[in-house]
């Protein structure tokens, strides 16, 4: 089971590094609401759930599942006030997530219904077909509260994971769903990894990105 993934677009901050911490499971509801708001108009979520009112209803539950995936590896990083969050997974997590694949499939269907869960499953299948075999850190979802944007918070969260990856001598991987996201990733040392992942029926593209350790 792979993550639906978009790489966050904000650039790395030039101001002093903000305080960051690992999120707690009892903060799942607040973080899911933050992610749902940030991704309400994202090309991928619009493709999965076209109706905007329904999308607003189902996205918090969807992100609760994705948060659980990262919480399993203590891999949800946030600002102390929950103004920004990044979901990621460390090397080796993919095998554990795949072992729980049936569980996640049921939970996604409970949230989305059969048709929309099938759309999500198709994205996951296309991602899995391109996912690198080499061990890596995987940045999946990032979000910043509206009033806190422009302060470099999301860039700081990504940079924090990249520092951990570099310390471990490990690569990092992400998929960008927009040119802006790709440009931001390039600024943090990522490069394109093959052709775009193209969703059917006029759906958006995902751009696989790879970063060697520094």
């Amino acid at each position: 089971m792979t993550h639906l993934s978009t790489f966050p677009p904000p650039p790395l901050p030039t101001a002093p590094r903000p305080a960051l911490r690992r999120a707690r499971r009892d903060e799942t509801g607040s973080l899911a609401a933050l992610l749902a708001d940030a991704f309400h108009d994202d090309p991928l979520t619009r493709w999965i759930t076209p109706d905007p009112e329904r999308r607003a209803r189902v996205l918090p539950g969807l992100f609760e599942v994705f948060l659980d995936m990262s919480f399993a590896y203590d891999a949800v990083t946030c600002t102390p006030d929950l103004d920004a969050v990044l979901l990621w997974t460390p090397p080796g997590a993919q095998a554990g997530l795949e072992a729980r694949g049936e569980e996640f499939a049921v939970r996604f269907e409970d949230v989305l219904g059969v048709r929309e869960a099938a759309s999500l499953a198709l994205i996951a299948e296309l991602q899995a077909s391109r996912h690198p075999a080499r061990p890596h850190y995987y940045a999946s979802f990032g979000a910043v509260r509206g009033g806190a944007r422009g302060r470099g918070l999301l860039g700081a969260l990504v940079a924090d994971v990249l520092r951990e990856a570099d310390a471990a001598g490990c690569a990092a991987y992400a998929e960008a769903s927009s040119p802006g996201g790709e440009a931001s990733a390039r600024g943090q040392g990522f490069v394109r990894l093959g052709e775009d992942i193209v969703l059917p029926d006029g759906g958006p593209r995902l751009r696989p990105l790879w970063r060697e350790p520094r």
Side-chain angles (χ1 to χ4, degrees):
M1 183 68 199
T2 65
H3 297 260
L4 166 65
S5 173
T6 59
F7 194 87
L12 282 168
T14 55
R17 197 189 324 171
L20 306 175
R21 64 173 174 85
R22 292 291 207 268
R24 304 187 307 270
R25 281 190 178 270
D26 64 7
E27 295 169 321
T28 293
S30 296
L31 295 174
L34 171 60
L35 287 155
D37 180 67
F39 282 91
H40 182 266
D41 293 319
D42 184 82
L44 288 173
T45 59
R46 293 202 313 266
W47 187 79
I48 295 168
T49 308
D51 180 75
E53 293 184 2
R54 173 171 168 76
R55 197 160 61 246
R57 292 195 303 270
V58 302
L59 283 184
L62 179 67
F63 281 110
E64 286 185 4
V65 182
F66 284 120
L67 278 158
D68 184 43
M69 289 179 173
S70 287
F71 270 130
Y73 299 93
D74 191 25
V76 180
T77 310
C78 63
T79 55
D81 52 10
L82 303 186
D83 274 346
V85 63
L86 179 69
L87 280 60
W88 52 280
T89 50
Q94 195 64 28
L97 293 174
E98 288 176 355
R100 297 175 65 189
E102 290 188 11
E103 169 199 341
F104 291 129
V106 170
R107 292 174 65 182
F108 285 134
E109 189 169 311
D110 287 343
V111 172
L112 295 173
V114 175
R115 184 182 63 82
E116 292 173 5
S119 296
L120 177 61
L122 176 58
I123 295 173
E125 180 182 346
L126 293 171
Q127 286 178 299
S129 70
R130 297 286 301 280
H131 212 88
R134 181 176 160 192
H136 58 271
Y137 284 73
Y138 183 29
S140 56
F141 292 102
V144 178
R145 201 172 306 282
R149 291 172 187 161
R151 290 161 42 192
L153 298 179
L154 201 48
L157 288 166
V158 174
D160 188 65
V161 174
L162 295 180
R163 279 189 289 271
E164 183 169 329
D166 289 344
C170 195
Y173 177 69
E175 294 123 342
S177 61
S178 69
E182 179 182 355
S184 175
R186 285 183 178 276
Q188 300 185 64
F190 285 83
V191 297
R192 291 287 292 268
L193 185 66
E195 299 298 320
D196 289 355
I197 300 169
V198 183
L199 303 184
D201 302 323
R205 294 171 175 260
L206 289 170
R207 299 163 183 86
L209 300 162
W210 182 259
R211 180 186 181 275
E212 291 289 341
R214 296 181 175 179

